[in-house]
């Protein structure tokens, strides 16, 4: 045998040995993992969802369709169970008791910032939201609340209306009298234009047409689920995110500087409001924090509202008779469907409100709310204790998708709400966590905006924005599904916010 052939054979054997060794190790890990689950169950901890592969655990089944996963596991294990998500132990606690346990847990026991900060701080910037102690964040929530709630909302309605209408009139996709559009793309743009005009101020709105949009997308790409578990992983989009974060901060810093240097305060917006905010200890909110908070608000509202408006349009295209009812509602309440409408006007459109409610019930943008466990947490009525190494997961949206609370739950039927109490009336139990009374959610089966100290403060703003956008779309267009399609597209759960699976086309026709 010649030397090269001998060497080749040796190498082959060596590689073979290595491959055999790796295969043996993996098999051993799999077998140990299975034996451990079957024979050595820990009676003091919630049951673990059976999984074949260690580390990978239930990552795939949860990631593909979290709601199917929650319901399948609930049928097998009950309301409390633990599953493996990329090597971490995640304990799910469903139902009202679970919401109460996780969303209203004591501060010393349960913590949001240690989970979310790895993802949000590189996008928002330092010293805001989850990068500060909770007491400071609650003060920051109080600062932003005023710009997002009742007093400011009436002034936003005409601005949003103009933005939505101008967008439709100017967009090439709506040239002519009918056509087909990818609706999520359109709704994402309408959402950012309407929100930024009111919250971010005229300077930011003007910049939206050029570099700002690119920076926004680079920041948005930083919200990859992988960054939750492996934040150190050198993804190219994380580098782009970091560059965009610095540039975006500079844009806001320049705007704040210009305003401080003497720009006339000719309107109320979030930026002016934060520029006048002072912490309890007398320190004014620093400009860097204001800039970072503005980025946080830009990102926080965009996804949920844009995705919700896309689902609404998809359902209206699938059930054009509801779109017609919405149009008739405008005619009967507002007298016509072409004059500008006010904040007071849109309070009188119950079907629009019910369309939004129903869409948030069936398509909650946030399916999983996560918290870090800080101390061993006993689960009442069981022998189980959730240890500090676990992450807790609340999924209040599962109740909204359950036939037990919403008969025929899979059906999108805005009219179901006519026979039901206002969800706000269900939320009777309230607490003040430092930024006003909020619902604990203990008594509610419908919580698309969460509950407890981390409850959404953008709810009222989102309702106004969605109502304006839906009202404008309804008066401009008739929608229907593209030929040969029925119902709506499936849900894409691959990003942090659930959204319609693309492509998601609808056909439009001008009224
Ligand atoms: C349809 C629209 C929206 C939905 C469904 C929604 C949903 C939620 C949910 C479920 C939470 C709780 C998260 C948790 O407990 O971990 C939350 C928190 C929050 N949302 Fe929203 N949101 C929406 C719109 C907005 C808008 C428009 C803004 C602001 C412009 C906003 C700002 C916030 C903030 C600041 C928090 C607090 C986070 C915390 O305290 O940890 N949201 N939202």
């Amino acid at each position: 045998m010649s030397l090269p052939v001998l060497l080749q054979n040796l190498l082959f054997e060596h590689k073979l040995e290595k491959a055999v060794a790796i295969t043996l190790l993996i098999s051993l890990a799999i077998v140990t993992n299975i034996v451990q689950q079957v024979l050595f169950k820990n009676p003091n901890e919630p049951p673990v969802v059976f999984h074949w592969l260690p580390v990978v655990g239930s990552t795939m089944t949860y990631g593909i369709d979290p709601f199917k996963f929650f319901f399948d596991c609930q049928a097998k294990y009950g309301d409390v169970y633990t599953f493996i998500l990329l090597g971490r132990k995640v304990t799910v606690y469903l139902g009202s008791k679970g919401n109460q346990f996780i969303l209203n847990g004591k501060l010393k026991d349960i913590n949001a910032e240690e989970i979310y900060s790895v993802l949000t701080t590189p996008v928002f910037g330092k010293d805001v939201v989850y990068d500060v102690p909770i007491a400071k964040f609650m003060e920051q929530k109080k600062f932003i609340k005023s710009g997002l709630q009742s007093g400011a909302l009436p002034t936003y309605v005409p601005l949003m209306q103009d933005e939505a209408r101008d967008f439709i009139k100017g967009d090439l996709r709506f040239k002519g009298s009918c056509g087909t559009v990818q609706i999520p793309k359109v709704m994402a743009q309408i959402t950012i234009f309407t929100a930024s005009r009111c919250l971010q101020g005229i300077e930011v709105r003007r910049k939206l047409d050029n570099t700002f949009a690119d920076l926004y997308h680079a920041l948005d790409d930083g919200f990859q689920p992988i960054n939750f578990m492996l934040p150190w992983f050198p993804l190219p989009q994380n580098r782009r995110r970091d560059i965009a974060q610095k540039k975006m901060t500079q844009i806001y810093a320049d705007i704040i500087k210009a305003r401080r240097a003497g720009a006339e305060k000719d309107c109320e917006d979030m930026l002016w409001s934060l520029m006048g905010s002072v912490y309890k200890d007398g320190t004014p909110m620093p400009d860097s924090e204001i800039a970072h908070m503005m980025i946080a608000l830009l990102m926080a509202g965009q996804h949920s509202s844009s995705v919700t408006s896309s689902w609404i349009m998809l359902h209206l295209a699938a059930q054009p008779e509801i779109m017609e009812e919405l149009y008739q509602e405008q005619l009967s309440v507002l007298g016509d469907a072409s004059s500008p409408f006010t904040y007071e006007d849109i309070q009188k459109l119950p079907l629009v409100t019910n369309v939004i409610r129903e869409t948030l019930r069936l398509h909650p943008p946030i399916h999983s709310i996560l918290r870090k466990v800080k101390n061993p947490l006993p689960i009442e009525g069981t022998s189980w204790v959730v240890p500090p190494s676990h992450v807790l997961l609340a999924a209040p949206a599962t109740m909204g998708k359950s036939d037990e609370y919403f008969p025929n739950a899979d059906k999108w039927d805005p009219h179901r709400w006519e026979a039901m109490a206002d969800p706000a009336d269900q939320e009777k139990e309230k607490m003040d966590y430092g930024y006003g009374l909020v619902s604990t959610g203990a008594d509610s089966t419908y919580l698309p905006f969460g509950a407890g100290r981390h409850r959404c403060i953008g709810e009222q703003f989102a309702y106004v924005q969605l109502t304006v956008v839906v009202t404008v779309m309804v008066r401009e267009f008739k929608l229907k599904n593209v030929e040969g399609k029925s119902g709506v597209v499936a849900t894409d759960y691959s990003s942090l916010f659930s959204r319609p699976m693309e492509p998601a086309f609808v056909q439009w026709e001008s009224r």
Side-chain angles (χ1 to χ4, degrees), residues 116 130 137 141 148 300-301 304 365-366 369 371 448-450 454 456 458 462:
Y116 291 142
Y130 303 119
F137 177 36
K141 270 182 110 166
L148 285 170
S304 312
I366 297 176
I369 295 181
R371 301 286 185 260
F449 295 92
H454 290 286
C456 184

